[in-house]
Amino acid sequence: MTASTRTLQVDALARVEGEGRFQVRLEGARVVQAEFSIFEPPRYFEALLEGRSFRDAPDITSRICGICPIAYIMSASQAMEAALGWQIPEPIASLRRLIYCGEWIQSHVLHTHMLHAPDFLGLPDSLALAQQDRRLVENGLAVKKLGNRLMEVIGGRSVHPVNTRVGGFYRAPEAASLHALLPELERCEALSLAALETFASFDFPDLEPDTLFVALRHPSVYPLAEGRIATSEGLEIEVAEFPAAFIERQVAHSNALQGQTRDGAAYLVGPLARFNLNAERLPPDLLEHAERAGLRPGCRNPFKSLLARQLETIYALREAARLIRDYVPPEPSFVEGPLRAGTGHGATEAPRGLCYHRYALAEDGSILAATIVPPTSQNQRQIELDLIATVERFHDRDDTALQWLCEQAIRNYDPCISCATHFLKLDVERV
Amino acid sequence: MKPTLAVWKFSSCDGCQLTLLDCEDELLELAETVTIAHFLEATRSRQPGPYDISLVEGSVTTAGEVERIRQIRRDSRLLVTIGACATAGGVQALRNARDHAAFKAAVYPSPQFIDALDTSTPIADHVPVDFELRGCPIDKRQLLETITALLKGRKPVLPDYSQCVECKLAGTVCVMVAHATPCMGPVTQGGCGNLCPRVGRGCYGCFGPKENANTEMLAAEFAALGADRRTIRDLFGNVTAGAPAFAAERARHDG
């Protein structure tokens, strides 16, 4: 260290779900070392599932994350159904897509309005934002409430829904209780379009790192719980081939395993990846709104994930309305078939990105082995690379400003650190 | 001066803290009534203690967390634990009955880097707790009632009866009587709004054991309905597996 060394430290990264820390060592304009650490204590979900019935996996894995329980419920259910060879009829698949829309809406709006937007305005939180622009926050809360309401009507409650099961639902909701949500869905779509315009006026730091995007892709719909795994380099594989193409690596500085491709490359999952790989599946008028907001397919600016997330909120509201208008209660509300030994894979699009599960079952349906790859563990390495790019690009800013920008760069990913192991401490050392 | 509210996280899924942010109709009003002095999931501004009310989510699973909860207790006038992790150890307490080293090795290629205690324990095992809110997750109405009551200086009014009573009050058909579906309702504290029986599903114990829960009789009833040992073990070994009454019953059906 020299007399000119400056050390910046943030004790805790706020507005993320979970606990994390970032340390960076800067020599002039060059980052020589960067580590994004997750020290949220491990909870060993994969190990505690062993020896239990396949039926227990959706509810137990939903406890990985209170913000995106549906992602875990759906990926686990898909994997079990694949292992057992159970086919899910279309009406059940549509009802699953509908509750998933509810999760996207509440999780996305929580992030865009309450956790991420304040960064762009230099505000500490959404309460300060409400003092400046009460309507924006109130409207956001209305949309978030609707997302939660949708989950409650279908799932019984929004955090850890109870009405879902391997094979479908315990009881199909009545059409009338869903139809009652249509006027609010329309009103919230208009509120969300107005919020997209507000967000579009924000100053987005100019940063476009090389990024490999990974998301589900489907021939006809924008993916939530359907499709094959695709990358921006043109790879497209079956969900069951995930382990052949992607690996998780343990690093000493983190309690979350880090995802990378078999070739050792970092990759990004989440709204920006989904948008870039599936833009043509969006209704044309939504693409025009995106374009006007400054979000074009191929966008590599991670800060614009805010726009992609808001666009997906609008999409999910409209898609939910469509699914409700077409809704016929599935009868029966779940399918069941014989048990058998086997391995099954499941992958769905959590609000934060691809959520992959694999289970090996014994003949009686008991779980022999479980592997769960949450979105934030996959994004971890890309977050480190974005932080390096951010610090190098904006090194001339003063310590306080740079620190905040680093936090913001992490929040681009809406990191659910509870998921990845499961607060962030930021150390910037300037030599 | 407005009273100060702090929200703290230990080992957990964030779902109970989220319940506070899910009070969409009350949140802005609440923020005018109290000063939110520490709530990392929602704000980067942080104020030092003391705090009038601390809401604590999560269980204690590391040596660092043991130290942290002691400091929070020293800084807090009232300490309220929220949710199954904070009040019973959470689903992660399933490891308490198992070999922790084997768990670490099963999930992490290099288990030596992982710093965690062998057990996941509720907050009350480490510091005195003034009030507890059950549930996985907690119920929004119960949370608002608790904050309101504590701010007014009265005791929160929350049910201490079983899920069964909740079903009777709501007119929900008994899933065990009508469909022979094993249900944890008779031994589980009410409060969720009898969500599972309402959709024809057996309760799985999110609110933990009610006082004087007769778990042994219920396990015998499950067996009479045809449930095997593992099923009974796992009915008691779910998201509130660490609560003493459930842990003891679970152990009777293990192995």
Side-chain angles (χ1 to χ4, degrees):
Chain A
M1 286 215 211
T2 66
S4 66
T5 295
R6 286 189 297 168
T7 302
L8 295 91
Q9 184 163 330
V10 173
D11 291 332
L13 183 82
R15 283 186 275 128
V16 299
E17 294 101 19
E19 300 187 36
R21 175 172 57 202
F22 174 57
Q23 288 174 299
V24 61
R25 197 175 155 85
L26 194 60
E27 275 177 22
R30 210 168 63 86
V31 169
V32 290
Q33 198 200 343
E35 283 185 357
F36 174 54
S37 316
I38 292 180
F39 45 83
E40 174 94 14
R43 295 192 290 145
Y44 312 108
F45 278 93
E46 285 129 320
L48 58 85
L49 283 167
E50 282 171 30
R52 298 182 73 108
S53 163
F54 72 97
R55 291 190 174 86
D56 292 350
D59 291 323
I60 288 192
T61 59
S62 78
R63 266 64 185 186
I64 292 174
C65 177
I67 296 122
C68 55
I70 286 292
Y72 289 87
I73 289 173
M74 293 303 164
S75 295
S77 298
Q78 271 191 1
M80 292 306 179
E81 289 147 10
L84 294 164
W86 297 2
Q87 299 295 324
I88 299 302
E90 196 280 327
I92 291 177
S94 290
L95 187 55
R96 285 183 164 176
R97 192 170 163 83
L98 182 57
I99 193 172
Y100 221 139
C101 285
E103 176 156 293
W104 273 26
I105 296 165
Q106 61 84 13
S107 173
H108 276 1
V109 174
L110 172 71
H111 191 68
T112 53
H113 287 68
M114 305 186 71
L115 310 182
H116 206 194
D119 277 331
F120 291 89
L121 301 167
L123 298 169
D125 53 43
S126 60
L127 301 173
L129 179 57
Q131 280 163 14
Q132 194 171 307
D133 188 348
R134 190 165 177 114
R135 179 164 294 176
L136 178 68
V137 176
E138 279 179 344
N139 289 350
L141 287 168
V143 182
K144 182 170 154 318
K145 183 180 171 181
L146 178 63
N148 282 327
R149 184 70 199 137
L150 191 52
M151 293 178 78
E152 285 161 14
V153 170
I154 303 168
R157 63 184 171 199
S158 60
V159 180
H160 308 320
V162 301
N163 189 25
T164 49
R165 59 185 290 168
V166 177
F169 294 84
Y170 283 89
R171 181 172 291 170
E174 286 167 22
S177 56
L178 288 168
H179 278 275
L181 302 175
L182 284 171
E184 188 64 4
L185 280 164
E186 270 174 38
R187 187 180 81 96
C188 285
E189 190 185 323
L191 297 180
S192 300
L193 272 167
L196 179 66
E197 281 172 27
T198 306
F199 295 160
S201 69
F202 290 171
D203 184 22
F204 292 92
D206 178 21
L207 192 78
E208 298 213 328
D210 274 333
T211 311
L212 175 63
F213 296 102
V214 177
L216 290 178
R217 183 150 62 189
H218 186 273
S220 57
V221 294
Y222 198 83
L224 281 91
E226 49 285 292
R228 288 151 57 92
I229 298 169
T231 75
S232 52
E233 283 176 349
L235 180 76
E236 197 167 315
I237 56 171
E238 294 299 328
V239 169
E241 295 172 276
F242 179 90
F246 302 95
I247 55 169
E248 283 191 298
R249 177 174 84 98
Q250 188 181 9
V251 290
H253 61 264
S254 185
N255 284 353
L257 301 171
Q258 279 193 354
Q260 56 186 47
T261 67
R262 278 272 166 208
D263 309 329
Y267 63 98
L268 180 153
V269 299
L272 214 45
R274 285 192 292 258
F275 173 74
N276 284 334
L277 288 161
N278 296 280
E280 66 275 25
R281 304 278 171 264
L282 289 168
D285 69 306
L286 284 190
L287 269 181
E288 284 165 27
H289 284 296
E291 171 93 31
R292 273 202 297 277
L295 177 69
R296 287 168 202 87
C299 172
R300 286 186 288 121
N301 185 339
F303 293 91
K304 289 194 172 176
S305 63
L306 175 80
L307 299 174
R309 214 169 265 116
Q310 186 62 17
L311 187 74
E312 286 192 340
T313 305
I314 301 165
Y315 174 74
L317 288 159
R318 191 182 291 185
E319 180 69 356
R322 181 188 73 79
L323 289 161
I324 290 175
R325 282 192 293 266
D326 294 345
Y327 177 68
V328 176
E331 177 57 47
S333 60
F334 60 91
V335 294
E336 267 192 316
L339 304 183
R340 68 177 192 199
T343 298
H345 307 253
T348 66
E349 287 287 343
R352 290 152 194 80
L354 194 72
C355 176
Y356 165 83
H357 290 221
R358 177 174 69 248
Y359 300 97
L361 302 182
E363 272 171 26
D364 66 349
S366 51
I367 299 168
L368 297 169
T371 303
I372 300 164
V373 185
T376 299
S377 15
Q378 298 176 74
N379 279 332
Q380 236 188 140
R381 183 65 197 141
Q382 187 62 43
I383 295 174
E384 282 182 350
L385 295 178
D386 281 10
L387 284 165
I388 293 167
T390 303
V391 171
E392 289 188 343
R393 174 87 175 72
F394 300 103
H395 67 91
D396 52 343
R397 296 199 182 178
D398 70 37
D399 288 0
T400 310
L402 188 57
Q403 240 170 249
W404 194 324
L405 199 59
C406 283
E407 288 187 29
Q408 191 178 347
I410 295 168
R411 281 194 286 268
N412 285 336
Y413 289 82
D414 187 5
C416 179
I417 296 170
S418 314
C419 290
T421 41
H422 221 55
F423 156 72
L424 199 78
K425 209 168 183 170
L426 178 66
D427 296 313
V428 181
E429 192 181 316
R430 300 184 192 232
V431 182
Chain B
M1 271 253 299
K2 290 196 288 186
T4 51
L5 178 75
V7 183
W8 308 95
K9 176 189 157 59
F10 288 77
S11 297
S12 64
C13 81
D14 289 71
C16 289
Q17 298 181 60
L18 179 67
T19 305
L20 186 57
L21 297 175
D22 282 349
C23 298
E24 288 97 357
D25 295 334
E26 298 86 6
L27 191 64
L28 295 178
E29 199 186 334
L30 179 70
E32 285 158 11
T33 315
V34 299
T35 300
I36 296 178
H38 185 108
F39 186 5
L40 276 182
E41 192 179 294
T43 177
R44 74 194 292 278
S45 72
R46 263 159 287 160
Q47 298 176 18
Y51 309 102
D52 291 303
I53 303 176
S54 276
L55 301 176
V56 180
E57 171 192 279
S59 68
V60 175
T61 66
T62 66
E65 288 183 330
V66 175
E67 287 311 308
R68 197 153 65 85
I69 192 60
R70 290 183 182 147
Q71 185 59 45
I72 292 168
R73 176 70 271 189
R74 283 193 287 271
D75 290 345
S76 308
R77 191 169 65 80
L78 288 170
L79 190 154
V80 181
T81 49
I82 57 168
C85 296
T87 59
V91 69
Q92 59 271 20
L94 277 167
R95 78 165 183 256
N96 298 0
R98 308 272 288 275
D99 177 359
H100 181 222
F103 263 40
K104 269 203 269 201
V107 178
Y108 296 97
S110 308
Q112 69 276 15
F113 295 148
I114 303 299
D115 169 29
L117 299 171
D118 287 343
T119 54
S120 168
T121 44
I123 300 296
D125 282 12
H126 304 273
V127 295
V129 168
D130 298 297
F131 201 78
E132 69 173 28
L133 263 183
R134 301 277 195 91
C136 183
I138 54 169
D139 178 81
K140 192 161 96 173
R141 291 152 299 185
Q142 291 201 352
L143 176 65
L144 287 169
E145 159 63 12
T146 302
I147 295 173
T148 311
L150 296 176
L151 290 173
K152 299 255 186 251
R154 65 167 171 85
K155 191 169 178 272
V157 180
L158 300 175
D160 55 1
Y161 46 70
S162 72
Q163 268 304 320
C164 283
V165 175
E166 220 170 36
C167 276
K168 301 294 170 283
L169 287 170
T172 304
V173 172
C174 178
V175 296
M176 212 144 75
V177 172
H179 310 293
T181 302
C183 177
M184 292 286 284
V187 294
T188 301
Q189 182 172 306
C192 71
N194 71 303
L195 294 174
C196 287
R198 239 172 34 191
V199 295
R201 174 185 189 173
C203 162
Y204 62 102
C206 297
F207 277 61
K210 69 180 263 288
E211 226 177 334
N212 304 319
N214 191 341
T215 56
E216 224 172 324
M217 281 295 287
L218 184 65
E221 187 60 30
F222 289 162
L225 292 173
D228 59 21
R229 262 173 83 74
R230 187 194 65 179
T231 304
I232 299 173
R233 177 198 74 180
D234 291 344
L235 279 160
F236 288 95
N238 214 308
V239 293
T240 48
F246 288 179
E249 194 57 44
R250 181 191 176 280
R252 280 195 275 275
H253 307 272
D254 197 16

